[in-house]
Amino acid sequence: MSKATRDVLIVVLLVWSGFAYPWFDKGCDIAEAYTAVIEYGVPEGLEPLPACYG
């Protein structure tokens, strides 16, 4: 793996983690938080959190 590819993957992981943190902070576990970023994006305000239910 080239250094440029590795750097891009690290940046993508950091951004994805930054988007997952609000879900984790709202009560999702780690796996749900990362999946919620893909399915729902970033939570906004006091919206219901469908990713964390059930």
Side-chain angles (χ1 to χ4, degrees), residues 23 26 40-50 53:
W23 288 108
K26 300 278 186 182
Y40 305 106
V42 179
E44 298 174 5
L46 299 175
E47 71 183 17
L49 302 175
Y53 295 148

Side-chain angles (χ1 to χ4, degrees), residues 1-11:
M1 178 182 307
S2 71
K3 183 177 181 339
T5 303
R6 187 186 70 209
D7 291 345
V8 168
L9 289 175
I10 290 170
V11 168

Side-chain angles (χ1 to χ4, degrees), residues 4-31:
T5 303
R6 187 186 70 209
D7 291 345
V8 168
L9 289 175
I10 290 170
V11 168
V12 168
L13 181 62
L14 289 174
V15 170
W16 190 13
S17 296
F19 287 148
Y21 180 75
W23 288 108
F24 179 71
D25 195 39
K26 300 278 186 182
C28 292
D29 65 20
I30 295 292

